[in-house]
């Protein structure tokens, strides 16, 4: 949860109005852990795992634009639960990661499990076909409460608003619990990034890039006792936070959300009252927006496969221009 220059709020101050958790990360939700691994092949790709404290966990999904994949989505929508951690990877690694996740589940051939694997396209910087089962095992071995951001794990080869992208996270304290968000950021045009309003064009003169498609997988966790229907509604709110930062859900982009609870007995329950639910919605919205900025600050430029370099996100200039707009 750190970078050489700190995180966004270290530079620009708070995002939104709700208090953050102690780490300002999805792992502020008790028991949630995150692990990353880089591909042993040396390609700029990798794997990230977000694990709840117990499985199965109550869960639900939402989609703004569906040009992307989250395996297990149909079962989650049918049964209101997920049976594995959430695995994140590059698009062409999804089959390898899914198979490795089946092995990691420890389930036998007579006990079927459908892992939850979300993908974004890192083909601009990497060949994600080089991911192997050992990379998944390494991400699982890395599970912990500290969350590295930016160009790590599944985020290693991603782009965000034409800058280096990847992993971002944030959290908010709500009622007697927390709402946390982790994003795999691979979306956006820099012209629409809200914190660049008033900043000189940071990619002027750069080589023209292909029309962006991008994607974002948003993982939201809470320890509040939401019902399945409330989790389904919560899963949408981080995706709304992306639009506040500047996403318009481009034609070829997948904006897919999954929300899970850590209080496993709530499936089918009545959930929380409207006042608390509204705070959860606002918390997920704020945390996702801040997660985008945290990703941009932490991510580091790399050489693309075509030999050109990614431009560096102008964090100081964006923070200076954006301070008055982020209250």
């Amino acid at each position: 949860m750190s970078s050489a220059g700190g995180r966004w709020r270290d530079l620009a101050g708070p995002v939104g109005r709700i208090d953050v958790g102690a780490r300002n990360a999805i792992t502020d939700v008790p028991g949630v852990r995150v692990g990353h691994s880089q591909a042993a092949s040396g390609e700029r790709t990798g794997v990230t795992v977000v694990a709840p404290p117990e499985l199965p966990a109550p869960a639900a999904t939402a989609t703004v634009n569906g040009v992307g994949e989250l395996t297990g989505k149909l079962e989650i929508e049918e049964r209101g639960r997920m049976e594995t951690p959430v695995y994140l990877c590059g698009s062409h690694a999804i089959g390898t990661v899914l198979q490795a996740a089946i092995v990691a589940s420890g389930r036998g051939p007579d006990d079927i499990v459908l892992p939850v694997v979300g993908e974004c396209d890192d083909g601009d910087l990497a060949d994600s076909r080089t991911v192997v089962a050992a990379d998944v095992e390494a991400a699982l071995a890395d599970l912990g409460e500290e969350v590295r951001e930016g160009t790590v794990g599944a985020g290693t080869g991603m782009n965000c608003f034409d800058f280096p992208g990847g992993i971002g996270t944030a959290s908010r304290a709500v009622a007697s619990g927390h709402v946390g968000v982790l994003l795999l950021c691979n979306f956006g045009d820099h012209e629409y990034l809200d914190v660049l309003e008033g900043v000189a064009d940071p990619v002027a003169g750069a080589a023209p890039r292909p029309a962006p498609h991008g994607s974002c997988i948003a993982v939201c966790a809470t320890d509040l006792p939401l019902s399945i229907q409330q989790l389904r509604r919560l899963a949408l709110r981080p995706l709304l936070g992306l639009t506040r930062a500047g996403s318009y859900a481009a034609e070829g982009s997948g904006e897919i959300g999954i929300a899970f609870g850590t209080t496993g007995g709530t499936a089918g329950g009545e959930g929380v009252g409207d006042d608390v639910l509204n705070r959860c919605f606002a918390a997920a919205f704020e945390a996702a927006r801040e997660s985008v900025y945290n990703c941009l600050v932490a991510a580091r430029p790399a050489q693309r496969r075509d030999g050109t370099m990614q431009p560096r996100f102008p964090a100081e200039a964006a923070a200076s221009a954006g301070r008055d707009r982020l209250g």
Side-chain angles (χ1 to χ4, degrees):
M1 297 178 297
S2 63
S3 66
R7 303 180 82 196
W8 176 259
R9 66 176 46 226
D10 298 325
L11 300 173
V15 177
R17 295 166 174 80
I18 304 174
D19 291 338
V20 303
R23 300 181 187 88
N24 194 17
I26 195 171
T27 52
D28 285 320
V29 179
V32 175
R33 297 174 298 157
V34 174
H36 300 301
S37 71
Q38 311 306 121
S41 64
E43 287 279 344
R44 296 194 59 80
T45 190
V47 178
T48 294
V49 183
V50 183
E54 296 182 6
L55 290 166
T61 68
T63 303
V64 168
N65 202 57
V67 187
E69 183 61 84
L70 182 72
T71 68
K73 184 176 185 295
L74 288 176
E75 182 182 24
I76 290 169
E77 290 306 291
E78 185 70 25
R79 306 177 79 183
R81 70 189 195 195
M82 65 184 198
E83 298 196 344
T84 73
V86 180
Y87 295 82
L88 303 174
C89 61
S91 298
H92 287 159
I94 197 165
T96 299
V97 174
L98 189 145
Q99 183 62 42
I102 292 173
V103 174
S105 74
R107 307 262 284 263
D110 59 344
D111 188 11
I112 298 299
V113 63
L114 299 174
V116 182
V117 186
E119 56 78 29
C120 291
D121 179 8
D122 57 6
D124 197 31
L125 281 89
D127 181 354
S128 56
R129 294 173 297 180
T130 64
V131 167
V132 296
D135 300 326
V136 179
E137 295 166 5
L140 288 166
D142 186 59
L143 286 171
E145 295 179 339
E146 294 299 315
V147 185
R148 289 170 287 145
E149 297 178 291
T151 44
V152 294
T156 305
M158 303 297 173
N159 296 278
C160 188
F161 289 101
D162 299 322
F163 303 103
I167 301 295
T169 189
S171 72
R172 296 293 185 267
V174 176
S176 58
H178 292 84
V179 172
V181 171
L182 181 141
L183 303 180
L184 177 59
C185 297
N186 190 52
F187 68 97
D189 305 341
H190 75 276
E191 296 94 336
Y192 288 89
L193 179 58
D194 65 337
V195 295
L196 289 184
E197 294 176 12
V199 177
D201 188 347
V203 300
R209 305 300 304 156
H213 296 296
S215 282
C216 184
I217 304 293
V219 183
C220 185
T222 185
D223 55 342
L224 293 164
L226 273 62
S227 70
I228 297 303
Q229 177 61 16
Q230 289 174 336
L231 282 173
R232 183 171 294 113
R233 298 172 70 193
L234 180 67
L236 177 64
R237 269 56 189 186
L239 304 178
L240 301 183
L242 304 186
T243 67
R244 181 64 178 84
S247 170
Y248 56 86
E251 185 281 324
S253 184
E255 279 73 31
I256 302 170
I258 180 169
F260 65 83
T262 62
T263 49
T266 65
E270 294 183 1
V272 300
D274 288 350
D275 288 346
V276 174
L277 186 61
N278 268 330
R279 292 292 282 178
C280 289
F281 289 170
F285 172 85
E286 286 188 10
R289 183 184 177 200
E290 185 168 1
S291 295
V292 173
Y293 307 147
N294 283 338
C295 170
L296 287 166
V297 171
R300 295 292 175 259
Q303 183 172 292
R304 303 184 182 98
R305 295 181 70 81
D306 64 6
T308 62
M309 285 293 295
Q310 293 176 307
R312 181 179 294 274
F313 175 64
E316 294 287 350
S320 176
R323 285 189 188 99
D324 294 336
R325 298 194 300 272
L326 295 178

